[in-house]
Amino acid sequence: MRKAIPALILVCLILSACGQTRTFEGALFRTDTDKSAFGVDCSDEINKGKVNVDDVGYVCTVKTDGKTRLKDAEGRSLKPEDFSSGDLVRVMLSRAQTITESNRSFQAKEIVLLEAK
């Protein structure tokens, strides 16, 4: 019985990680005036796996700090002002999280400019 407990705990940890997002892509809607956050379309993540989805768009607030890496697809460093509304970006979160209609604010580890508008 004692040997089954660690295996059960491992299975629970693996299942709890399912459905969590570490990275997503979306169009950039805005940057805050102090350049400490980006508004990124996260509708695809919220609607992932759903059927008969309404045409509702969701914007996630992606916070940045001094540790957040901003770069282009080739790996060159960028500044917040290098990003514009409409750009396609890939966001890597600081930790995996479940993105939902009510949970849409996250700390970014990295933001990559994939396609500039």
Side-chain angles (χ1 to χ4, degrees), residues 70-84:
L70 305 175
K71 61 184 187 178
D72 65 13
E74 284 76 42
R76 294 182 292 251
S77 292
L78 297 175
K79 297 176 183 165
E81 49 273 4
D82 294 325
F83 294 83
S84 300

Side-chain angles (χ1 to χ4, degrees), residues 19-96:
Q20 292 193 333
T21 300
R22 181 65 177 203
T23 303
F24 71 94
E25 293 180 10
L28 183 66
F29 276 95
R30 69 178 191 287
T31 58
D32 287 353
T33 54
D34 66 354
K35 309 293 188 202
S36 64
F38 291 87
V40 180
D41 178 11
C42 57
S43 302
D44 289 345
E45 283 301 312
I46 291 175
N47 295 322
K48 187 169 34 178
K50 295 181 182 177
V51 293
N52 299 326
V53 176
D54 292 331
D55 287 338
V56 176
Y58 297 97
V59 176
C60 287
T61 299
V62 180
K63 301 173 194 170
T64 62
D65 60 19
K67 296 179 184 177
T68 305
R69 292 186 305 269
L70 305 175
K71 61 184 187 178
D72 65 13
E74 284 76 42
R76 294 182 292 251
S77 292
L78 297 175
K79 297 176 183 165
E81 49 273 4
D82 294 325
F83 294 83
S84 300
S85 181
D87 290 349
L88 179 64
V89 296
R90 178 184 314 121
V91 177
M92 179 183 286
L93 304 176
S94 293
R95 61 182 179 87

Side-chain angles (χ1 to χ4, degrees), residues 96-112:
Q97 297 188 39
T98 303
I99 298 177
T100 65
E101 295 170 17
S102 60
N103 185 33
R104 296 183 286 142
S105 183
F106 313 102
Q107 179 65 42
K109 179 177 182 179
E110 179 178 88
I111 301 175
V112 179

